[in-house]
Amino acid sequence: MKKTFPQTVHLAVTLAALLVSLYFIFLYAPQESTMGEVQRIFYIHVSSGNMAFLAYFLTFFGSFVYLWKRNESADDFAYGSAEVGFIFCTCVLITGPLWAKPVWGIWWTWDERLTPTFFLWLLFVGYLMLRSYVIAPGRAALLAAVVSTLGVVDVVFDFWVIRMKSYRGQHPAAVMGGGENSGLDPRMWVAVFVTFVACLLLFSYLVRQYMRVAALRRQVARLRQLRDSSSGA
Amino acid sequence: MVNLYLVVAYGLVWAIFTGYAWTIQRRQDRLEKELQELRKALGPK
């Protein structure tokens, strides 16, 4: 028998991790000296961004496994990752301006880091629309694989652009591999790690829930077909 | 003093995820109900 991590346990662990992450963000991590309290947006902003990036890699992976093996679960996984990735990417685009306004004095600027993130969000929208409007499953999966490839290219660009020495944009330097002025207080690193793990659990839980929806949808479609064929006979 | 931007940011993120989880749950419930009805209509096989 196939053993899986029970859904209720998965949900309980996810909720506990999210609550623990709030403790680390608001009580454990020290207040940043120049930005003050508003800097705490950083933890959810960065983790959401990481999840959106991860989502595109998983969508890309799931799409290609589906095209190669014709495994329906791989396609469900690709779509679920894209849907949940879209939610995380939306959170990046909401939390970013809310952090930017009190710190930079502006909500948004079209710089080399922010623009690819917005483009990534548009790609998620494009992917989800494509999957909704193209009915032929094989064709939809093929087109989705093409869109997810574009997404991966965008993610790689988005990740590296602020690590380039020539970058002079508005976005702060990366905290990992961002050069001399990057880095964090060790307690902030703990909060980053805990938030990342909590978001990863949330991501996996939501993708799993989506996959359950997709499996149910297929069962319903099969039974409908059976009902229609038996009533027609 | 509580920072309004901080409260709005975390409040919105929690609201978005709660709303999304709720829509997934609704989709599951609707499909499970339909599946049950179809099984009932088709009878024991």
Side-chain angles (χ1 to χ4, degrees):
Chain A
M1 199 180 123
K2 197 176 159 187
K3 277 191 180 173
T4 52
F5 189 43
Q7 283 201 29
T8 44
V9 177
H10 198 162
L11 176 64
V13 172
T14 303
L15 288 174
L18 287 168
L19 291 174
V20 169
S21 76
L22 288 180
Y23 164 77
F24 277 90
I25 291 167
F26 291 102
L27 300 170
Y28 179 82
Q31 185 176 306
E32 208 269 343
S33 55
T34 51
M35 288 181 264
E37 282 296 303
V38 78
Q39 183 271 344
R40 293 185 200 274
I41 292 176
F42 159 82
Y43 302 103
I44 192 66
H45 179 72
V46 169
S47 290
S48 297
N50 288 336
M51 291 305 119
F53 285 0
L54 175 73
Y56 247 117
F57 279 104
L58 295 177
T59 302
F60 175 79
F61 175 74
S63 297
F64 278 89
V65 169
Y66 173 74
L67 289 175
W68 182 32
K69 302 259 183 190
R70 295 286 159 186
N71 180 326
E72 285 175 329
S73 295
D75 191 40
D76 296 343
F77 178 72
Y79 189 95
S81 296
E83 197 172 276
V84 179
F86 166 74
I87 303 289
F88 274 105
C89 199
T90 304
C91 289
V92 174
L93 294 180
I94 288 171
T95 55
L98 283 166
W99 185 16
K101 180 65 179 164
V103 177
W104 302 341
I106 50 168
W107 295 100
W108 182 266
T109 177
W110 295 101
D111 91 338
E112 303 97 307
R113 179 68 199 261
L114 277 69
T115 308
T117 308
F118 181 67
F119 186 63
L120 189 71
W121 184 80
L122 287 179
L123 281 172
F124 274 124
V125 174
Y127 180 95
L128 297 173
M129 282 174 72
L130 191 77
R131 297 300 305 257
S132 305
Y133 292 118
V134 181
I135 299 161
R139 189 162 175 77
L142 181 67
L143 289 170
V146 174
V147 177
S148 67
T149 309
L150 283 174
V152 167
V153 172
D154 186 71
V155 164
V156 173
F157 178 75
D158 204 355
F159 183 81
W160 285 112
V161 72
I162 55 164
R163 287 166 177 83
M164 292 190 309
K165 283 191 175 154
S166 57
Y167 178 72
R168 296 281 179 271
Q170 192 81 22
H171 195 277
V175 289
M176 282 179 278
E180 293 165 12
N181 299 321
S182 69
L184 286 176
D185 180 287
R187 283 170 298 165
M188 288 179 172
W189 271 121
V190 175
V192 167
F193 179 73
V194 172
T195 312
F196 177 80
V197 172
C199 285
L200 200 58
L201 281 164
L202 180 63
F203 181 92
S204 60
Y205 177 75
L206 292 173
V207 171
R208 190 177 179 183
Q209 291 302 303
Y210 174 79
M211 288 180 76
R212 168 103 183 109
V213 167
L216 282 169
R217 208 176 275 155
R218 259 199 306 277
Q219 279 185 54
V220 166
R222 272 187 210 123
L223 289 188
R224 266 190 202 151
Q225 211 173 17
L226 200 65
R227 182 196 57 190
D228 295 347
S229 62
S230 63
S231 65
Chain B
M1 204 184 121
V2 180
N3 187 291
L4 184 66
Y5 292 101
L6 187 66
V7 173
V8 172
Y10 279 89
L12 279 176
V13 168
W14 274 78
I16 286 169
F17 281 107
T18 307
Y20 179 65
W22 181 72
T23 62
I24 289 195
Q25 193 56 54
R26 263 193 60 185
R27 279 189 265 177
Q28 272 189 22
D29 292 346
R30 190 174 46 80
L31 286 162
E32 267 164 8
K33 198 178 156 198
E34 195 179 345
L35 197 63
Q36 229 172 11
E37 283 168 6
L38 281 165
R39 279 185 182 142
K40 219 165 130 182
L42 284 163
K45 294 269 163 183

